[in-house]
Amino acid sequence: RLVGSEMCIRDSYICMKNLMDKNDLVFEVIPSVHAPKVGASVGVRVHCISLDITVESTTEKTQYVNKLAAMDKLKKLANPRIC
């Protein structure tokens, strides 16, 4: 049985899972401040089509970590809108 914050986290996850399908997300590689050092664009922009939210992350040194950071931003922005 879930109580308090556990229930909130579960409900939030269910809302996010139902309304943000992986097919709703558009990922784009963009330039970052680290591009000259690593020789490639490692910034990431994510657009959620169903919620019309776009976020980006360009401050991390790898594309993978920028993707995780962008997804965190998207989840934080989307949460109040869908739950």
Side-chain angles (χ1 to χ4, degrees), residues 33-60:
V33 295
H34 297 291
K37 296 176 193 168
V38 296
S41 295
V42 294
V44 175
R45 180 179 295 136
V46 182
H47 178 71
C48 179
I49 297 168
S50 62
L51 299 174
D52 195 28
I53 299 174
T54 302
V55 295
E56 60 184 44
S57 177
T58 59
T59 56
E60 305 300 331

Side-chain angles (χ1 to χ4, degrees), residues 1-2 9-10 26 37 44 57 76 79-80 82:
R1 180 174 175 210
L2 300 175
I9 291 168
R10 186 217 51 199
V26 178
K37 296 176 193 168
V44 175
S57 177
K76 287 176 184 172
N79 194 22
I82 60 179

Side-chain angles (χ1 to χ4, degrees), residues 5 9 15-16 29-30 40 43 60 62 77 79:
S5 62
I9 291 168
C15 287
M16 294 284 293
V29 177
I30 58 176
E60 305 300 331
T62 67
L77 287 173
N79 194 22

